[in-house]
């Protein structure tokens, strides 16, 4: 009975909202992360992105809406980068993972938040923190438009993947802690051990004044460590694989995806002159 109801709802949605093939092709052409997908993956992701746009609110700040065209391919590209995180999961798990997502709010520029932090000596410090994005347990996913425009390639930065990783993290708590709901095949003790090894390595490198192999923002909080590592997994998989192979393998099992193969496919599809250098 439930299966028949689900199929009826899917057919009804498809009849009311025909999938925009041309807009999806345009969205893929604009975003290297989407261009690199295999056709079967792209077809599944396109459908999820289309449904995402109908299930969630996508709001542009009035100032941005007046000045910036944000057409259907742009909206599909945004939704697809969010849904890329759960592409390897069954439909039910995908919906459950983003049940706490109600709205994506795009602001004209980076924004500031007043932050209070207590140091190791118990002294409270206040400062203004400039942010490209933020979210909370049931709050909107907020992203800055310039950072959104810089997302979508294999540079290691993606504000959407970062903030939606926080939403995954918030699936079992009211605050980010780097410990999202895990599938049955991943032992929480293994998750803790692998991430702690990365955390300890980042802290040690910073104490020695060394560069970190991933964005050092990962060393500020366990929740940020998870989000930054997710960014790297999808958008700089070669760097994450080389720096932290155990973590890369763990995230591959968690997301049930193989982004390194996509990067290699995208790399070989480019003209030689367009290949970026890795440092």
């Amino acid at each position: 009975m439930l299966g028949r109801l689900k199929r009826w709802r899917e057919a009804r949605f498809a009849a009311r909202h025909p999938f925009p093939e041309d807009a999806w092709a345009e969205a893929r052409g604009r975003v290297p992360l989407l261009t690199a997908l295999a056709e079967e993956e792209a077809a599944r992701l396109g459908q999820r992105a289309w449904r995402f746009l109908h299930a969630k609110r996508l709001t542009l700040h009035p100032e941005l809406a007046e000045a910036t065209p944000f057409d259907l391919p742009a909206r599909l590209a945004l939704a697809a980068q969010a849904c890329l995180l759960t592409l390897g999961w069954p439909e039910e798990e995908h919906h459950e993972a983003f049940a706490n997502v109600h709205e994506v709010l795009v602001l004209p520029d980076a924004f500031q938040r007043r932050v209070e932090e207590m140091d190791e000596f118990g002294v409270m410090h206040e400062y203004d923190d400039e942010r490209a994005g933020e979210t909370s347990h049931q709050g909107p996913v907020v992203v800055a438009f310039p950072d959104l425009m810089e997302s979508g390639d294999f540079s290691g930065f993606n504000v959407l993947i970062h903030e939606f990783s926080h939403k995954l993290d918030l699936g079992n708590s009211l605050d980010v802690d780097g410990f999202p709901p895990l599938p049955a095949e991943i032992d929480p003790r293994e998750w803790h051990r692998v991430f702690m090894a990365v955390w300890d390595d980042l802290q040690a490198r910073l104490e020695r004044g060394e560069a970190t192999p991933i964005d050092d923002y990962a060393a500020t909080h366990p929740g940020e460590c998870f989000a930054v590592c997710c960014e790297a997994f999808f958008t700089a998989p070669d760097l994450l694989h080389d720096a932290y192979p155990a973590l890369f393998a763990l995230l591959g099992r968690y997301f049930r995806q193989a982004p390194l193969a996509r990067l290699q496919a995208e790399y070989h599809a480019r003209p030689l002159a367009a290949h970026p250098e890795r440092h």
Side-chain angles (χ1 to χ4, degrees), residues 152-175:
D153 58 15
F154 288 94
S155 66
F157 172 80
N158 192 296
V159 67
L160 288 167
I161 289 177
H162 186 102
E163 296 305 327
F164 276 86
S165 296
H166 284 323
K167 281 295 191 182
L168 296 182
D169 195 351
L170 290 163
N172 56 3
S173 62
L174 296 178
D175 200 4

Side-chain angles (χ1 to χ4, degrees), residues 49 52 77 93 97 101 113-114 131 165 195 217-218 220 259 263-264 270-271:
F52 184 97
E93 293 182 16
V101 178
R113 289 286 185 264
R114 192 67 176 171
R131 300 183 176 184
S165 296
F195 264 96
Y217 190 54
T220 62
L263 173 62
Q264 293 167 344
R270 292 188 202 173

Side-chain angles (χ1 to χ4, degrees), residues 248-264:
F248 183 85
L250 180 64
L251 288 177
R253 289 160 52 206
Y254 172 70
F255 287 114
R256 300 170 194 161
Q257 298 187 57
L260 191 55
R262 295 175 194 151
L263 173 62
Q264 293 167 344

Side-chain angles (χ1 to χ4, degrees), residues 183-262:
E185 62 268 23
I186 296 181
D187 189 328
R189 293 170 295 184
E190 178 188 8
W191 185 271
H192 181 266
R193 182 180 69 254
V194 171
F195 264 96
M196 279 304 300
V198 172
W199 175 265
D200 290 342
D201 180 71
L202 292 171
Q203 302 299 325
R205 289 173 184 264
L206 290 174
E207 288 180 6
R208 295 193 298 265
E210 298 177 3
T212 55
I214 59 176
D215 188 345
D216 61 12
Y217 190 54
T220 62
H221 187 278
E224 298 300 344
C225 186
F226 172 66
V228 169
C229 289
C230 290
E231 272 186 277
F233 179 76
F234 285 100
T235 68
D238 52 342
L239 296 183
L240 188 66
H241 175 270
D242 292 345
Y244 301 117
L247 173 64
F248 183 85
L250 180 64
L251 288 177
R253 289 160 52 206
Y254 172 70
F255 287 114
R256 300 170 194 161
Q257 298 187 57
L260 191 55
R262 295 175 194 151

Side-chain angles (χ1 to χ4, degrees), residues 8-24:
W8 176 80
R9 286 176 174 171
E10 289 175 349
R12 186 183 183 195
F13 177 86
R16 289 187 171 186
H17 309 286
F19 183 71
E21 296 283 357
D22 291 345
W24 175 235

Side-chain angles (χ1 to χ4, degrees), residues 4 83 139 216:
R4 290 176 60 187
C83 294
D216 61 12

Side-chain angles (χ1 to χ4, degrees), residues 20-98:
E21 296 283 357
D22 291 345
W24 175 235
E26 176 67 21
R28 288 191 67 196
R30 295 179 186 181
V31 180
L33 285 178
L34 307 181
T35 305
L37 292 170
E39 290 306 313
E40 184 275 331
E41 289 182 317
R44 188 166 73 255
L45 182 61
Q47 292 291 338
R48 287 190 177 179
W50 183 231
R51 290 177 177 272
F52 184 97
L53 287 181
H54 286 82
K56 318 293 183 181
R57 292 190 302 275
L58 175 53
T59 307
L60 270 64
H61 185 278
E63 177 185 327
L64 185 64
E66 289 181 6
T68 306
F70 207 71
D71 57 11
L72 181 55
R75 291 171 179 266
L76 279 169
L78 183 155
Q81 289 175 79
C83 294
L84 182 61
L85 284 159
T86 56
L87 181 60
W89 299 355
E91 196 70 25
E92 295 77 10
E93 293 182 16
H94 160 70
H95 283 295
E96 183 179 354
F98 290 146

